[in-house]
Amino acid sequence: MSMAFSTHKQHQHLPNLCGATAAPPPTPSAQPNHQTVTSSAAADALSNLLHRLPPTLSLPKRRSSTSATSPPPPTLSFSDPNFNHLLLSSGSELGFLQLTNHDIPSQLANSAETESLSLFELTRDQKESCFPKNWPLGFDADDDDEEEEDGDGKGESFCLDTECSTETTTDLSLTSLREFTRALEKLGLKIIDKLADAMGFDNSIGEDPTRFRSLMWISEGFHGDHDKPSGGFYPYVIGLQYQIRCQKYSLLKDSGSVSVSPQVDSIMVTLGDIAQVWSNGKLSKVRGRPMACLGDGNKSRLVSMSLLVTLPCNSRVTPLLPEVVGEEGTGDEDDESQVCGSKEEQEKRLFNSFSFEDYAWRVYNECYLFNDPLDKYRI
């Protein structure tokens, strides 16, 4: 029997079972009547221990230390006449899928990967001067893992805008990466538009580019280093990742992590926390970006390029509910009570409205491997 506990909270409530000051149990040889401990006695001892735990102890959802194997991601194609229905079904049940028959050529993806790899060949000074930190844009590194014996830094990542802008004039060429980023953004907005249509939202939601902000997140993978993504979590509506080669990825769900192996040349699509709030909880979500599962001893280099369609920092996040204006509305734009209607007409709101910037900063800088950061805003 095993239980997963949040190491930063729950451990302080547990009794000290193996500390140095605890008196050791009597050895069997010291007892006058030596008997083998039966499984029944062990079960009774465990039961007594569990009953001694504080009644207010809150256990998180069980999250296995090893990823559970998931069925292959559902496959969708824009040519399917039932695309909207299948998109909504996959989004509600899983929160991820693989898209085929898209218009992004594999040659462009490979060229973009080559240019992305060149970013990690720069010196530390070049990385910081070409891509200064302007959160969330720029170069980022986990300083705890920065210096390695082989000279490579672990946990390094680059977050770029759709123009793949740099601050200094260098010989660095990012032409293919820029084209690749724009192509993924265009595809992502199209998927958002179809998802909004399937859910009965404003069908032009994906046609307004000023409503969204796209970020290209590039990180380099290392063998045995897939417990958390470099660069931290960042909230998003939808994420897209082109599958250049056969590669297994770990996706962090609310119930734990699952492993998926999308087919080559497909685009893995994940729905994020903002999509879940917009849908008022109807859509499932994937926390953070997909993490490459690199087996221990695998020395090959791997760059992950994830396009996140997210929101401008000054946005507010709120469920997109059908507006039924009743007589009690005040007319104030900031007063959510203006959308009141009758209980039969108005869908019950499951999330409070919140600032995207505040939420993004909290999610990026704090660890949420066990707890859902959206719990704070649930009604």
Side-chain angles (χ1 to χ4, degrees):
M1 177 179 182
S2 63
M3 293 186 181
F5 292 88
S6 178
T7 57
H8 68 289
K9 291 184 179 180
Q10 277 78 2
H11 72 277
Q12 60 186 328
H13 299 297
L14 298 177
N16 185 358
L17 301 180
C18 56
T21 59
T27 58
S29 60
Q31 303 305 309
N33 296 321
H34 173 69
Q35 293 181 350
T36 302
V37 179
T38 64
S39 59
S40 176
D44 290 341
L46 178 59
S47 177
N48 291 333
L49 173 62
L50 292 178
H51 280 86
R52 291 169 56 193
L53 293 176
T56 58
L57 180 64
S58 176
L59 299 179
K61 294 181 179 179
R62 185 179 185 274
R63 182 173 182 265
S64 175
S65 59
T66 57
S67 299
T69 301
S70 169
T75 302
L76 274 73
S77 170
F78 277 127
S79 60
D80 194 318
N82 297 318
F83 181 87
N84 287 15
H85 172 74
L86 295 175
L87 175 63
L88 180 58
S89 176
S90 298
S92 300
E93 296 177 10
L94 299 173
F96 60 89
L97 56 97
Q98 59 182 356
L99 184 66
T100 60
N101 295 333
H102 50 79
D103 57 0
I104 299 181
S106 59
Q107 182 179 359
L108 177 61
N110 279 278
S111 298
E113 183 186 51
T114 300
E115 293 180 354
S116 296
L117 279 169
S118 69
L119 298 179
F120 296 94
E121 299 293 340
L122 299 173
T123 66
R124 180 62 181 261
D125 289 342
Q126 289 176 323
K127 293 172 183 176
E128 294 181 338
S129 62
C130 292
F131 306 96
K133 188 67 176 174
N134 182 21
W135 186 82
L137 298 176
F139 167 72
D140 193 17
D142 186 346
D143 291 335
D144 292 336
D145 298 323
E146 181 181 324
E147 299 296 335
E148 295 293 313
E149 292 183 0
D150 58 5
D152 292 329
K154 291 179 61 179
E156 292 187 344
S157 66
F158 295 87
C159 180
L160 310 179
D161 56 21
T162 53
E163 298 298 322
C164 298
S165 306
T166 60
E167 291 293 325
T168 59
T169 302
T170 64
D171 295 332
L172 195 63
S173 175
L174 301 178
T175 303
S176 295
L177 180 59
R178 185 179 300 109
E179 183 181 351
F180 180 64
T181 300
R182 291 172 176 171
L184 284 176
E185 179 189 41
K186 181 179 179 181
L187 184 61
L189 292 176
K190 184 177 181 180
I191 295 175
I192 291 176
D193 190 44
K194 288 186 173 295
L195 186 60
D197 182 59
M199 300 201 68
F201 300 155
D202 181 0
N203 58 10
S204 64
I205 188 173
E207 298 177 0
D208 181 9
T210 63
R211 186 169 186 172
F212 299 95
R213 180 190 192 189
S214 295
L215 303 174
M216 172 57 76
W217 226 293
I218 305 170
S219 57
E220 186 174 22
F222 289 82
H223 68 281
D225 182 31
H226 53 263
D227 290 329
K228 74 172 186 175
S230 58
F233 291 157
Y234 195 83
Y236 63 95
V237 181
I238 191 172
L240 300 97
Q241 190 160 312
Y242 194 104
Q243 303 309 298
I244 296 178
R245 61 186 58 83
C246 184
Q247 174 67 53
K248 181 184 293 186
Y249 289 88
S250 176
L251 307 180
L252 183 58
K253 301 281 295 170
D254 288 338
S255 57
S257 59
V258 296
S259 297
V260 296
S261 298
Q263 67 187 55
V264 176
D265 290 333
S266 70
I267 294 178
M268 182 161 60
V269 179
T270 56
L271 302 183
D273 36 7
I274 304 305
Q276 186 177 62
V277 175
W278 276 0
S279 69
N280 202 34
K282 297 183 182 68
L283 294 176
S284 182
K285 72 173 181 294
V286 173
R287 299 188 201 172
R289 307 184 305 279
M291 295 174 283
C293 298
L294 302 179
D296 293 337
N298 186 345
K299 297 293 185 179
S300 61
R301 301 178 66 191
L302 177 67
V303 168
S304 295
M305 301 179 293
S306 300
L307 189 283
L308 302 183
V309 180
T310 180
L311 303 178
C313 285
N314 61 353
S315 303
R316 289 197 65 81
V317 184
T318 189
L320 300 181
L321 302 177
E323 295 188 357
V324 182
V325 180
E327 296 180 356
E328 299 177 10
T330 64
D332 187 349
E333 291 182 356
D334 296 328
D335 186 359
E336 295 180 0
S337 66
Q338 65 175 319
V339 183
C340 47
S342 66
K343 292 183 179 180
E344 293 78 16
E345 294 174 322
Q346 183 65 42
E347 179 182 343
K348 183 179 179 181
R349 185 184 300 272
L350 300 183
F351 296 93
N352 286 313
S353 174
F354 57 88
S355 163
F356 175 82
E357 184 175 18
D358 291 345
Y359 174 72
W361 180 260
R362 187 167 62 90
V363 171
Y364 186 89
N365 289 281
E366 299 180 20
C367 179
Y368 286 97
L369 293 179
F370 294 95
N371 301 320
D372 185 354
L374 286 177
D375 284 345
K376 178 179 179 180
Y377 310 101
R378 295 183 188 275
I379 299 175

